[in-house]
Amino acid sequence: MSQESTSLSFIATPANAVNGEITVPGDKSVSHRSIMFGALAEGTTHISGFLPGQDCLATMNSFKAMGIEIEGPDAEQNVTVYGKGLHGLTAPEKPLDIGNSGTSIRLLSGILAGQRFNASMAGDSSLNKRPMGRVITPLKQMGANIDAAVDGTPPVVTQALGQDQQLNAIHYDLPMASAQVKSCVLLAGMYASGTTSVTEPGITRDHTERMLTAFGYPVTVEGNKISIEGGHKLKACDIQVPGDISSATFFMVAGLIAKEGQITIKNVGMNPTRIGAINILKQMNGDLTVMNERMAGGEPVADILVKSSNLQGIDIDERDVPLAIDEFPAIFIAAACATGTTRLRGAEELRVKESDRIQAMADGLTILDINCTVYDDGIDIIGGQITSGTVDSQDDHRIAMSFAISSLRATGAVTILDCDNVATSFPNFVALANQVGLSLNQE
Ligand code: S3P
């Protein structure tokens, strides 16, 4: 369906110092949800700070294909969504192209399960390998007519509910700590009769719960149990998307591992369910200062000052794993630059991201002469001297950006293959990296 990536490479040559003040693009998770909730709300939703990455544009295009009028993003990343209410979507004329975005396909599964029209979703070669059984299992329990390929991968196909048919409310114990699965079940719960609840084995990002509240839809959170009753309405509101802490992490690690300098990253989302990377990097002796903490659009934000640091290897606290799940590729680069060994366990979910992130990072680190040992659910990384060489991003945006910043401590050029996907989450990454002092060329 999507165009397969051409083959953009990054050539990162060593640089000593990083300096400056930057603002990273909007949060990916919040941007996706702002379109989804805006489309299903009654009234007009104004979004500022939207992430114009390919993943969020795939969500936007999917809702346009289901009859929702959306304007933007403009040059200031403002978006206007003309919502049509929970029952206002119309049948898409063709299969929805979800590109590379796991969040879009899994959250949309919950929404499409409640519709009275047929739909089908698939994406690029990476997304089409990722597990969808995790959302299909609970949705089938709710009575949805939903299926994927025999091996549980996309396409995900939903059949219309019958005229008199409604989804059933269920209680679902999430088998894995996944905000996408939690959100999928809660979104389907808006279309079910009765109260749907989920319990999560570890705290995961709570943007869905926060945004339900912002849109006036009642949701109850009691410890690790979240409940939602079907049949209420979403009312349009204004959403200010904070800077994405996942994107900021590349610059946190860059600032820490650079031999000299300091970077200030402005307006970063500091939702407590997302700050695992800050906890981990501080435990590694990283000099990070969180400043100007404030609330913006229902989410806490702050500025982060990062200074060059002598990092130490640590045993990563498993409780931080879901709170830092997207940040591990960058944290692994910090570990490669630290004194001693960093050990991660309880992170088997990393194997089913845009790539198998444990193996992809281990392969690249090994090429750059960093010793590591891979486990089913984690990795040991022994800090050392990053050398030079050609590594493969395996078509994964976060692997590409992580090896780009590794060049700050490399003895020679690091070439990274297959970097097109950086545009899925961080379209201006190369410009910002060069602005602070990295030396990154694209070929
Ligand atoms: C996301 C949840 C996480 C994360 C992904 C975004 C979300 O996925 O890795 O990038 O927006 O809900 P899982 O739910 O699979 O952990």
Side-chain angles (χ1 to χ4, degrees):
M1 292 190 55
S2 299
Q3 290 265 307
E4 290 307 309
S5 58
T6 52
S7 180
L8 178 73
S9 299
F10 289 169
I11 298 141
T13 43
N16 280 330
V18 292
N19 276 297
E21 188 175 287
I22 56 166
T23 306
V24 292
D27 187 276
K28 186 153 73 72
S29 295
V30 176
S31 295
H32 280 301
R33 287 162 173 81
S34 66
I35 297 288
M36 295 178 183
F37 285 106
L40 300 178
E42 295 180 3
T44 304
T45 291
H46 299 280
I47 306 164
S48 60
F50 184 78
L51 168 64
Q54 288 166 358
D55 278 10
C56 299
L57 298 177
T59 292
M60 186 183 271
N61 289 334
S62 297
F63 280 91
K64 284 184 180 172
M66 292 188 286
I68 302 296
E69 191 189 337
I70 305 175
E71 285 165 8
D74 64 12
E76 273 84 49
Q77 316 309 349
N78 296 308
V79 172
T80 307
V81 184
Y82 297 92
K84 288 195 172 167
L86 273 180
H87 300 283
L89 299 179
T90 51
E93 279 171 15
K94 38 183 196 178
L96 299 171
D97 183 354
I98 304 298
N100 190 244
S101 179
T103 304
S104 311
I105 198 165
R106 297 208 179 102
L107 272 60
L108 266 164
S109 295
I111 294 170
L112 292 176
Q115 305 303 317
R116 302 206 183 278
F117 56 77
N118 299 343
S120 159
M121 300 181 282
D124 67 9
S125 57
S126 156
L127 186 70
N128 287 346
K129 288 189 208 108
R130 296 181 66 188
M132 298 298 139
R134 52 181 59 200
V135 290
I136 288 174
T137 300
L139 291 174
K140 275 189 186 291
Q141 287 176 21
M142 295 177 83
N145 303 313
I146 183 164
D147 267 305
V150 267
D151 62 352
T153 60
V156 172
V157 178
T158 52
Q159 307 286 340
L161 289 175
Q163 265 327 308
D164 302 323
Q165 201 189 350
Q166 215 185 340
L167 295 179
N168 317 311
I170 57 165
H171 172 74
Y172 193 63
D173 272 321
L174 292 176
M176 73 293 284
S178 165
Q180 291 177 355
V181 181
K182 168 178 71 175
S183 302
C184 167
V185 176
L186 293 176
L187 289 166
M190 296 194 299
Y191 292 94
S193 55
T195 299
T196 295
S197 55
V198 293
T199 45
E200 42 183 7
I203 293 171
T204 67
R205 64 192 68 195
D206 66 356
H207 304 298
T208 296
E209 297 89 305
R210 283 176 190 253
M211 217 178 272
L212 281 165
T213 304
F215 278 86
Y217 199 108
V219 57
T220 313
V221 182
E222 296 157 303
N224 66 343
K225 182 176 177 193
I226 304 114
S227 310
I228 189 168
E229 188 188 35
H232 295 271
K233 288 178 178 167
L234 294 163
K235 288 174 224 77
C237 69
D238 292 350
I239 298 288
Q240 283 170 264
V241 183
D244 197 327
I245 192 167
S246 300
S247 300
T249 301
F250 298 107
F251 289 95
M252 287 187 227
V253 173
L256 296 175
I257 67 171
K259 289 173 207 123
E260 296 166 32
Q262 62 178 53
I263 308 182
T264 304
I265 314 166
K266 308 269 286 180
N267 194 39
V268 181
M270 293 294 292
N271 180 312
T273 61
R274 296 285 298 280
I275 57 169
I278 294 184
N279 299 341
I280 293 166
L281 293 169
K282 278 188 171 173
Q283 282 158 23
M284 294 177 78
N285 198 39
D287 187 345
L288 295 166
T289 311
V290 176
M291 310 176 300
N292 302 327
E293 291 180 75
R294 57 206 184 267
M295 289 299 285
E299 294 271 355
V301 297
D303 304 332
I304 303 173
L305 173 66
V306 191
K307 293 183 182 166
S308 168
S309 303
N310 290 318
L311 297 176
Q312 304 289 326
I314 58 164
D315 288 354
I316 294 173
D317 187 335
E318 284 197 24
R319 284 171 302 186
D320 276 324
V321 169
L323 312 186
I325 194 68
D326 289 340
E327 286 66 79
F328 283 108
I331 292 168
F332 291 179
I333 298 299
C337 299
T339 305
T341 303
T342 297
R343 294 179 194 84
L344 172 68
R345 297 292 183 278
E348 57 279 353
E349 279 292 303
L350 289 180
R351 292 202 178 269
V352 289
K353 295 295 177 189
E354 286 84 326
S355 68
D356 173 346
R357 286 186 173 157
I358 294 175
Q359 197 57 53
M361 286 303 297
D363 290 350
L365 288 170
T366 305
I367 287 168
L368 299 177
D369 292 311
I370 297 297
N371 282 317
C372 43
T373 309
V374 159
Y375 298 87
D376 285 348
D377 65 340
I379 191 167
D380 289 352
I381 298 172
I382 305 174
Q385 175 63 60
I386 295 172
T387 57
S388 69
T390 299
V391 300
D392 192 340
S393 81
Q394 311 210 6
D395 205 9
D396 182 332
H397 53 140
R398 299 200 198 281
I399 306 293
M401 291 185 274
S402 298
F403 282 113
I405 57 171
S406 79
S407 62
L408 284 166
R409 289 280 284 271
T411 54
V414 179
T415 298
I416 307 126
L417 305 177
D418 221 356
C419 297
D420 302 76
N421 265 341
V422 167
T424 59
S425 69
F426 203 158
N428 61 341
F429 170 74
V430 171
L432 281 185
N434 286 332
Q435 183 186 319
V436 297
L438 278 97
S439 177
L440 222 55
N441 284 299
Q442 305 180 72
E443 198 165 78

